[in-house]
Amino acid sequence: MPATEESGDEALYVLTAVLLTPAQFPSVLGDDYPEACAVLGLEPYDTGYGLVLGQDGGGARWTVVTDDVSLVACAIATWDCGMEYALAIDDRTVVASLPGWPLAVAVAAPGIPAPHDPAPGAELGADASRAPLTPPDSERWGPAQRRLGADEIALQWAIWREQVDSDVTFVAPGEKPHGGVRRVLEEARGYLASPPPAGRIRSAFASGDARTLRADGPGWSMVARTDDIAFVLLDDAPGEVLPVGRGPELPELLTALDKLAMRPH
């Protein structure tokens, strides 16, 4: 990277790409897959999309949406292995070209102006009438930051796990958990009776037979391992990470949620 793909008369210098599917989507966009699609003005089709983030020849930021999910998945897997992959999107698979980036991108294409939002009316075969997409403000706490925090815990599970006493319990007899945690656990149990929208519960490989479980809801995110504890983040508890020990109840809840979860193919 970067690679170049042609879109009509314009060139897109590809910087990165992400998947937008029921099992795997940028958490900054929403608590579930339909919500993430709605932010981008897309229909939440089961097959999903690939999001390609890049710059045009003038340096403007663009997010190109393609329905060729397998192509984008192949590119991401190749890049993750440290290999080159020139991601070239067939114009016939382009669903939309949106101004701006929904995610923070730390790199830029060489030899062209620095990244900036397209001028009103600019085109990349695109919808430039809408306001440019922007990454969430890292200086304030809100739903996007809460979800990003949960992402980080999932990625750095071992580091976060070491900070929790090994004997933490789910709920000691006669005690009540943190009020926010209690609400989260009740709403998570409610998913068992009334399954939530696609992507509210996601499951990914951890190690051995364990899975990393991610669940989100209005104002909360939970990250857990099916063989271990859980962590809860709340909109109304800025920057706070609340551990939930296994005890007698959590294992059964996590196992049941994992059965409902969307899994990457």
Side-chain angles (χ1 to χ4, degrees):
M1 290 190 302
T4 306
E5 71 99 11
E6 299 294 330
S7 180
D9 296 327
E10 295 285 345
L12 180 73
Y13 296 84
V14 177
L15 300 179
T16 190
V18 294
L19 295 178
L20 175 63
T21 69
Q24 191 173 352
F25 56 88
S27 293
V28 295
L29 296 177
D31 285 326
D32 53 52
Y33 174 64
E35 186 177 317
C37 288
V39 170
L40 303 179
L42 303 171
E43 291 295 325
Y45 297 128
D46 292 345
T47 49
Y49 307 91
L51 306 181
V52 180
L53 282 60
Q55 296 174 262
D56 65 20
R61 307 179 184 97
W62 292 96
T63 298
V64 176
V65 183
T66 173
D67 60 14
D68 193 343
V69 179
S70 59
L71 175 68
V72 174
C74 181
I76 294 171
T78 304
W79 294 335
D80 286 347
C81 292
M83 297 185 289
E84 296 285 336
Y85 189 99
L87 177 55
I89 305 170
D90 188 324
D91 281 351
R92 293 171 296 181
T93 73
V94 173
V95 176
S97 294
L98 308 174
W101 296 334
L103 313 173
V105 178
V107 295
I112 63 174
H116 60 273
D117 289 335
E123 292 187 5
L124 187 77
D127 178 7
S129 61
R130 61 172 290 160
L133 300 168
T134 58
D137 182 359
S138 60
E139 297 301 315
R140 70 177 189 86
W141 182 261
Q145 291 75 16
R146 176 251 301 165
R147 293 188 293 261
L148 285 171
D151 287 347
E152 184 63 23
I153 292 172
L155 287 172
Q156 305 289 339
W157 178 268
I159 294 174
W160 284 92
R161 185 64 179 89
E162 288 175 358
Q163 300 179 38
V164 179
D165 293 336
S166 59
D167 60 352
V168 65
T169 57
F170 182 63
V171 182
E175 295 183 3
K176 293 184 177 180
H178 180 285
V181 170
R182 186 166 63 250
R183 176 177 65 84
V184 168
L185 297 175
E186 289 172 354
E187 291 187 13
R189 287 192 196 96
Y191 288 165
L192 305 182
S194 180
R200 280 281 175 100
I201 313 171
R202 288 170 279 161
S203 178
F205 173 78
S207 61
D209 294 330
R211 305 287 298 182
T212 296
L213 193 65
R214 173 65 180 274
D216 293 275
W220 60 269
S221 293
M222 181 171 68
V223 186
R225 273 186 47 144
T226 53
D227 64 345
D228 204 352
I229 67 172
F231 292 98
V232 166
L233 294 88
L234 304 168
D235 282 356
D236 56 8
E240 191 172 355
V241 178
L242 303 167
V244 183
R246 280 182 74 76
E249 298 180 57
L250 189 64
E252 182 179 350
L253 175 62
L254 297 181
T255 297
L257 290 174
D258 188 56
K259 291 179 180 178
L260 293 177
M262 304 297 300
R263 301 185 178 214
H265 295 299

